Amino acid sequence: TVSFASLWIIPRLPAFRALRPDVEVYVSANDRTVDLARGEVDLAIRYCAEETAPREGLRLFGERMLPVVSPAVARAPGTPLRRPADLARHVLLHLDDPEGRTPWLDWRAWLAANGEPELKPAGSLRFTLYDQVIQAAVGGQGVALGRLPMIAALLRDGRLVAPFPRKFDSARGYYVLVAPHARERADVQAFVAWLAAEASATAGTAATATATAVRSGAAARSPAGERPRPPRATRGGARQS
């Protein structure tokens, strides 16, 4: 997907370029399914449910949802974020989905799973792309439904915090597929191996980043005088579809 390329692939490309400067990388991000048999690209990363994932696909990681905000929003006086019901005092940032094709990415699914199916927020903002939702959250415009491990780096770096550890696991994941014509190429194999290593590292740090973000959010809300608790696409391109 476009957002996966923006939030996960592109920030990691410098690491691959440092490792393999001889490999030319072309990333074409879109939300359509690319026919690898046509020979236009060397590999694709598919976002799909496990039961529909191609048998030959290499699973990178799954997906977990939890609310995230900027540190400034977490610290705002008068609008605490200690439990899901507190979201009623905040603007919720939505991924626009008028046809209901991705209900697991909708706030209603998370709220229902966390005991607040009837919650009415103070306001709503809608965006056509998920990376726009996250940009708005980083900018302090409201609360976003974060997707781990896609945004783990933003939590680890402190640009976003998770105010409470309530999560919702989606049934989707990310899978690498290599085109038939490219399976024996050394540069493609190197890129796939690098993707797998990056995914493993990301999955391994996502839980740590989440715990740190939750502690940071709690620290930001500590009353005055109370000490807070210490708390990596080859030539021809990788297309996400």
Side-chain angles (χ1 to χ4, degrees):
T1 67
V2 173
S3 297
F4 181 77
S6 298
L7 293 170
W8 198 85
I9 289 284
I10 293 174
R12 288 168 170 77
L13 281 181
F16 180 74
R17 295 289 297 149
L19 183 67
R20 292 294 304 268
D22 58 307
V23 177
E24 180 182 349
V25 178
Y26 169 62
V27 176
S28 177
N30 54 69
D31 294 326
R32 65 184 177 87
T33 300
V34 175
D35 184 359
L36 294 177
R38 296 179 62 180
E40 297 177 353
V41 298
D42 297 326
L43 60 89
I45 298 176
R46 297 271 168 85
Y47 173 66
C48 59
E50 183 175 357
E51 60 268 21
T52 63
R55 293 174 56 187
E56 67 274 20
L58 171 66
R59 188 178 188 272
L60 294 178
F61 38 63
E63 184 173 62
R64 172 166 286 184
M65 328 292 291
L66 77 170
V68 294
V69 296
S70 70
V73 171
R75 291 193 300 264
T79 55
L81 278 168
R82 298 189 180 94
R83 58 189 186 277
D86 291 335
L87 291 169
R89 299 182 179 183
H90 290 264
V91 173
L92 299 188
L93 307 176
H94 299 264
L95 178 64
D96 195 36
D97 183 27
E99 299 178 4
R101 293 181 298 177
T102 56
W104 60 93
L105 302 180
D106 191 282
W107 269 106
R108 289 173 294 184
W110 187 92
L111 290 168
N114 287 278
E116 296 292 339
E118 305 300 326
L119 184 138
K120 304 295 183 184
S124 297
L125 286 174
R126 296 185 178 276
F127 302 87
T128 57
L129 296 174
Y130 183 70
D131 54 320
Q132 297 169 345
V133 174
I134 294 304
Q135 289 173 15
V138 171
Q141 298 184 44
V143 187
L145 199 53
R147 298 163 66 181
L148 289 172
M150 196 189 298
I151 64 160
L154 295 173
L155 291 171
R156 184 187 64 235
D157 296 345
R159 284 175 285 174
L160 291 173
V161 298
F164 30 76
R166 301 290 186 90
K167 307 177 183 70
F168 174 77
D169 291 337
S170 85
R172 268 65 183 174
Y174 294 85
Y175 298 81
V176 180
L177 296 174
V178 179
H181 71 271
R183 289 173 183 165
E184 302 303 319
R185 280 177 37 193
D187 56 348
V188 174
Q189 293 173 352
F191 189 73
V192 171
W194 173 79
L195 280 174
E198 285 293 311
S200 178
T202 301
T205 59
T208 301
T210 305
T212 300
V214 170
R215 289 198 299 270
S216 297
R221 298 188 302 274
S222 296
E226 179 181 331
R227 292 188 61 187
R229 294 181 182 180
R232 298 188 155 149
T234 66
R235 183 176 137 192
R239 298 196 177 193
Q240 289 75 47
S241 59

